[in-house]
Amino acid sequence: MEAVAVAAALGFLLLTAAGGSTGDEAREAAAVRELLARLLGPGPAAAFSVSVERALAAESGLDTYRLSGGGVGARVQVLGSTGVAAAAGLHRYLRDFCGCHVAWSGSQLRLPQPLPAVPEELTEATPNRYRYYQNVCTQSYSFVWWDWARWEQEIDWMALNGINLALAWSGQEAIWQRVYLALGLTQTEIDEYFTGPAFLAWGRMGNLHTWSGPLPPSWHLKQLYLQHRILYRMRSFGMIAVLPAFAGHVPKALTRVFPQISITQMGSWGHFNCSYSCAFLLAPEDPLFPIVGSLFLRELTKEFGTDHIYGADTFNEMQPPSSEPSYLAAATATVYQAMTAVDPDAIWLLQGWLFQHQPEFWGPAQVGAVLGAVPHGRLLILDLFAESQPVYVRTASFQGQPFIWCMLHNFGGNHGLFGALESVNRGPTAARLFPNSTMVGTGMAPEGIGQNEVVYALMAELGWRKDPVADLGAWVTGFAARRYGVSHGDAEAAWRLLLRSVYNCSGEGCRGHNRSPLVRRPSLQMVTAVWYNRSDVLEAWRLLLTATPTLATSPAFCYDLVDVTRQAVQELVSLYYEEVRTAYLNKELVPLMRAGGVLAYELLPALDKVLASDSHFLLGSWLEQARVAAVSETEARFYEQNSRYQLTLWGPEGNILDYANKQLAGLVEDYYAPRWRLFMETLVESLVQGVPFQQHQFDKNAFQLEQTFVLSTRRYPSQPQGDTVDLAKKLFLKYYPRWVAGAL
């Protein structure tokens, strides 16, 4: 069977199994009209007519929208086969006909009057069944402290971008608590098992337990409340909500209640010792496995209902206890059977990261054992890192199981301009045309959001395109014009420079994980190489500043100016670090002190001030989110410490140090800058005293600074301070001429 036919057949099977429609047409249309009113206000929203009719997609079975009308005295007609399709059609009209822009950092929604007419009736169908969103880690790196108001904004963003399949994993610990109590565990044993809020993603995948816990009782209540609202809103648009299922990991305390059960202790994860990792995995043949799995899913679906798709990851970044195909098949089949015991229509959504993360373990026999243990069409794979390291290519399209081509893009929620836009642009089409392809969707699966919005704008658009964007240069020019609400030559030229540099990473080495010296613990072995020409970033910086007289009133422009200034400083830090290292190795004290002094005492404080001028780059806002989620001051301090740990040490001993680094005002000032000052002082002392630099001793001293930051209770501003344009110009005028002259 040819590629398109295979994918279509599998897509139809999944469409049937998942029920296709969630809620009725009237409810979905009402949800889109309410979104429109939130987005534009009641008055402008009245100029649109929104309706939902399943019949629009009767021929293909795929989400479809139709646009018509508009112009003087005429309402814009938006028709969708689902609420999501209607919302995507609305977004298409706002973007392509009105020049509007919807983004995490703020939207540009100046509508022309009268609203432009759609010249000819425009009908668009998505080429695939699913447009997926989220990574299990996103729940912790980005969503962990959100209230309903922030969730509402995100679900609106999802709908407008055509997302119809997404994780909904809040509140599951409250359900697990009920199950564990029913199985005979004590409340103390349960409290000792759960991680703290900022680390729940890895508790859910079996990587961690206990660390930075316990969860307060109020946490469970608030998360249950949130989950009900999240699910109601997602389903009102016709989105499919993916609920969690039992993957096999259990608390050690279960052996007290059932001493005869067969369990295997897994290896350690992420440099944590077994106090916090080394998960206990219930053997697939143990009779307790289906009991635990069905107890959980029955309680979960009783509480939240179901859309019949469930996520579970048994071996995420953990090597299975056996490579025998028979074991892997049994472990996989048992997880699936526990789902179908409760929900005969269950489909298992599996993150394919395990195959990519440990390719040396997952050979053809091992991969085949997992993929073949679930009936075809009932295992839906997320090819999680397909823009860089696609797995479908080396597994014959997952041996016939359907998969979603996903862009992972970001690790740890890091700041840093990064993208592989050419690969992203061409990847979905290549996967769709792959021999006997079983691709049934596209997806965005970042570990953290709120960064590099151009990348996600492109990926969301590709979910509705049958072919790649023909000219990315023209596309990014249009992106800039919509983002700022006006065309500006210098700003658009800046974006084209960014496209050919930071957003042009290619090859398997491309990872959206910021390893700049700025955000890493200093050493003499730091890597400063980048895949682009730094001069493109600095020239883009100059061009954006040239555009400030026209664009400074645009919040999106000011956000981008901060972000590009931040990136330029990141590049300068690397260059000054290279001077520091060269001077130290040559035993030149004066050049060492000069370059080190600029880096640690001038450049980083100036960066902190620029970041402080924008609300999206404030440590105070980040920590305040955590504090507001609490119901007491004790809880607020606990949540804040969870958040500080995640941003920095990521464990009691810096176990995954700086993995989730951010460039935030306050974090630069009180965490990165003191570390760099200590490094410079240590190098100077080494030269003056004639003793070698001892990295191990420096690491111990740096850890004391890092831990001091984590344990601090200092409060930081949660409102921006200073003028972005003025602060960015001062930085530019001080350092750009030095760089041009080669005299940093």
Side-chain angles (χ1 to χ4, degrees):
M1 189 182 292
E2 64 182 27
V4 175
V6 172
L10 286 165
F12 183 75
L13 172 62
L14 289 163
L15 174 66
T16 304
S21 62
T22 305
D24 59 25
E25 298 168 347
R27 183 179 69 164
E28 292 173 24
V32 179
R33 287 192 286 269
E34 290 166 5
L35 180 161
L36 188 56
R38 286 191 296 274
L39 189 69
L40 302 178
F48 294 80
S49 173
V50 178
S51 54
V52 171
E53 295 178 10
R54 297 282 183 264
L56 186 61
E59 184 175 339
S60 67
L62 299 172
D63 279 1
T64 304
Y65 60 75
R66 179 174 295 156
L67 301 176
S68 60
V72 178
R75 300 172 82 192
V76 176
Q77 305 291 323
V78 181
L79 173 64
S81 59
T82 64
V84 166
L90 169 64
H91 187 206
R92 170 79 177 274
Y93 177 81
L94 293 173
R95 184 189 71 208
D96 291 357
F97 291 87
C98 301
C100 294
H101 179 70
V102 177
W104 287 312
S105 62
S107 299
Q108 187 282 112
L109 297 168
R110 290 195 292 273
L111 295 176
Q113 294 298 329
L115 289 178
V118 180
E120 295 181 9
E121 189 175 79
L122 172 64
T123 301
E124 192 76 61
T126 178
N128 290 113
R129 167 72 178 106
Y130 296 115
R131 281 88 53 209
Y132 170 79
Y133 178 52
Q134 294 181 35
N135 181 307
V136 173
C137 299
T138 327
Q139 305 280 322
S140 288
Y141 283 133
S142 295
F143 304 164
V144 55
W145 309 117
W146 283 7
D147 57 11
W148 168 243
R150 182 61 187 85
W151 265 112
E152 183 174 56
Q153 292 173 15
E154 193 70 8
I155 297 170
D156 284 353
W157 179 91
M158 289 160 57
L160 289 164
N161 282 286
I163 303 300
N164 68 345
L165 180 68
L167 302 184
W169 280 27
S170 299
Q172 64 178 282
E173 284 72 30
I175 306 301
W176 273 119
Q177 181 170 255
R178 296 177 197 169
V179 171
Y180 291 147
L181 287 171
L183 289 169
L185 271 66
T186 66
Q187 188 63 54
T188 299
E189 289 170 332
I190 296 168
D191 289 344
E192 288 174 353
Y193 180 64
F194 290 139
T195 68
F199 301 93
L200 283 173
W202 301 276
R204 293 166 178 172
M205 293 185 288
N207 304 120
L208 289 179
H209 57 82
T210 310
W211 164 241
S212 215
L215 293 173
S218 62
W219 175 265
H220 296 303
L221 291 172
K222 293 185 77 170
Q223 293 301 304
L224 282 173
Y225 162 80
L226 265 180
Q227 176 75 339
H228 277 289
R229 297 200 72 172
I230 290 165
L231 288 171
Y232 180 82
R233 183 59 57 80
M234 285 178 66
R235 290 167 177 163
S236 74
F237 284 118
M239 294 179 192
I240 297 169
V242 180
L243 297 178
F246 179 52
H249 314 112
V250 295
K252 182 182 179 181
L254 202 63
T255 61
R256 177 190 60 77
V257 183
F258 302 100
Q260 302 304 315
I261 59 171
S262 175
I263 60 171
T264 300
Q265 187 168 19
M266 307 287 280
S268 63
W269 177 84
H271 308 291
F272 282 84
N273 62 33
C274 290
S275 297
Y276 301 115
S277 67
C278 309
F280 286 88
L281 186 65
L282 197 54
E285 70 275 8
D286 194 285
L288 194 62
F289 197 113
I291 294 172
V292 175
S294 59
L295 273 174
F296 174 70
L297 203 58
R298 190 169 287 111
E299 188 67 25
L300 185 82
T301 54
K302 185 175 77 173
E303 181 75 34
F304 299 128
T306 185
D307 297 320
H308 308 292
I309 300 185
Y310 306 95
D313 298 285
T314 305
F315 302 118
N316 177 68
E317 297 186 358
M318 296 185 292
Q319 185 163 308
S322 170
S323 61
E324 283 296 319
S326 58
Y327 168 79
L328 296 169
T332 305
T334 307
V335 171
Y336 174 68
Q337 288 159 8
M339 296 179 194
T340 56
V342 176
D343 182 357
D345 295 327
I347 294 171
W348 180 359
L349 184 77
L350 175 69
Q351 292 192 126
W353 179 253
L354 75 167
F355 303 134
Q356 185 277 330
H357 182 70
Q358 292 182 304
E360 68 285 349
F361 177 89
W362 293 100
Q366 288 70 33
V367 172
V370 169
L371 298 177
V374 178
H376 274 197
R378 297 292 179 171
L379 183 64
L380 178 55
I381 314 291
L382 299 176
D383 200 348
L384 213 65
F385 198 19
E387 81 273 28
S388 183
Q389 298 175 26
V391 176
Y392 77 87
V393 175
R394 62 180 175 87
T395 57
S397 197
F398 292 99
Q399 299 184 17
Q401 292 286 17
F403 76 94
I404 294 175
W405 190 100
C406 291
M407 176 193 76
L408 198 161
H409 179 256
N410 179 273
F411 290 83
N414 297 166
H415 291 128
L417 301 184
F418 168 83
L421 289 192
E422 189 59 46
S423 176
V424 168
N425 186 35
R426 303 204 172 275
T429 300
R432 199 176 294 122
L433 298 176
F434 188 75
N436 296 317
S437 177
T438 51
M439 175 183 164
V440 294
T442 56
M444 296 182 279
E447 287 193 348
I449 65 168
Q451 38 70 34
N452 292 291
E453 293 177 321
V454 64
V455 178
Y456 299 89
L458 176 64
M459 189 65 235
E461 187 173 325
L462 290 171
W464 289 84
R465 295 182 67 101
K466 297 176 179 64
D467 300 300
V469 172
D471 184 344
L472 280 179
W475 182 89
V476 83
T477 298
F479 170 86
R482 292 189 301 272
R483 188 165 171 82
Y484 306 144
V486 63
S487 293
H488 192 288
D490 289 330
E492 291 163 5
W495 274 100
R496 287 192 293 272
L497 283 172
L498 296 175
L499 173 65
R500 83 178 190 187
S501 56
V502 291
Y503 291 121
N504 191 34
C505 196
S506 61
E508 290 197 357
C510 287
R511 282 177 176 261
H513 194 192
N514 194 343
R515 299 185 183 277
S516 163
L518 193 161
V519 293
R520 312 301 279 187
R521 183 187 282 172
S523 77
L524 291 171
Q525 284 78 44
M526 305 182 88
V527 176
T528 58
V530 292
W531 65 91
Y532 51 89
N533 189 333
R534 286 192 168 100
S535 63
D536 285 343
V537 174
L538 293 167
E539 178 62 9
W541 187 26
R542 185 190 71 79
L543 287 166
L544 285 183
L545 281 166
T546 303
T548 55
T550 304
L551 300 181
T553 56
S554 162
F557 174 81
C558 289
Y559 171 91
D560 289 342
L561 181 59
V562 170
D563 206 17
V564 173
T565 301
R566 177 208 53 71
Q567 187 72 25
V569 172
Q570 180 175 296
E571 310 300 349
L572 292 170
V573 165
S574 292
L575 297 176
Y576 276 109
Y577 163 73
E578 289 173 355
E579 289 194 15
V580 165
R581 180 169 58 188
T582 299
Y584 176 78
L585 295 176
N586 292 337
K587 296 183 169 55
E588 297 173 336
L589 182 60
V590 172
L592 169 65
M593 294 180 69
R594 187 195 68 82
V598 171
L599 192 165
Y601 292 92
E602 296 181 19
L603 198 52
L604 293 182
L607 171 61
D608 198 84
K609 288 182 179 178
V610 172
L611 295 171
S613 70
D614 189 283
S615 60
H616 299 89
F617 293 92
L618 302 179
L619 176 62
S621 298
W622 193 267
L623 298 181
E624 191 61 23
Q625 279 188 73
R627 294 184 62 86
V628 168
V631 297
S632 69
E633 180 59 26
T634 300
E635 249 183 48
R637 288 178 181 173
F638 168 61
Y639 288 170
E640 179 179 341
Q641 192 175 102
N642 253 248
S643 192
R644 285 175 181 254
Y645 262 118
Q646 189 201 83
L647 288 170
T648 56
L649 292 173
W650 222 110
E653 299 170 335
N655 306 63
I656 315 180
L657 181 67
D658 296 320
Y659 182 92
N661 63 76
K662 310 280 188 296
Q663 292 174 45
L664 302 170
L667 192 63
V668 172
E669 177 188 25
D670 280 357
Y671 181 75
Y672 299 127
R675 207 162 56 175
W676 273 102
R677 289 169 191 155
L678 176 65
F679 183 64
M680 298 309 172
E681 291 162 7
T682 306
L683 293 182
V684 168
E685 185 179 315
S686 168
L687 285 188
V688 170
Q689 296 184 1
V691 297
F693 171 73
Q694 298 289 340
Q695 184 69 48
H696 178 69
Q697 184 57 49
F698 172 76
D699 288 346
K700 290 172 67 175
N701 295 339
F703 176 74
Q704 296 303 315
L705 287 178
E706 293 155 354
Q707 194 171 51
T708 297
F709 171 81
V710 169
L711 300 178
S712 171
T713 57
R714 178 184 171 184
R715 303 292 290 274
Y716 295 88
S718 55
Q719 296 297 321
Q721 300 174 344
D723 180 82
T724 294
V725 173
D726 182 55
L727 291 164
K729 278 183 177 176
K730 285 179 180 176
L731 250 174
F732 176 84
L733 292 172
K734 183 172 184 178
Y735 293 101
Y736 184 83
R738 297 185 192 179
W739 173 77
V740 170
L744 286 176

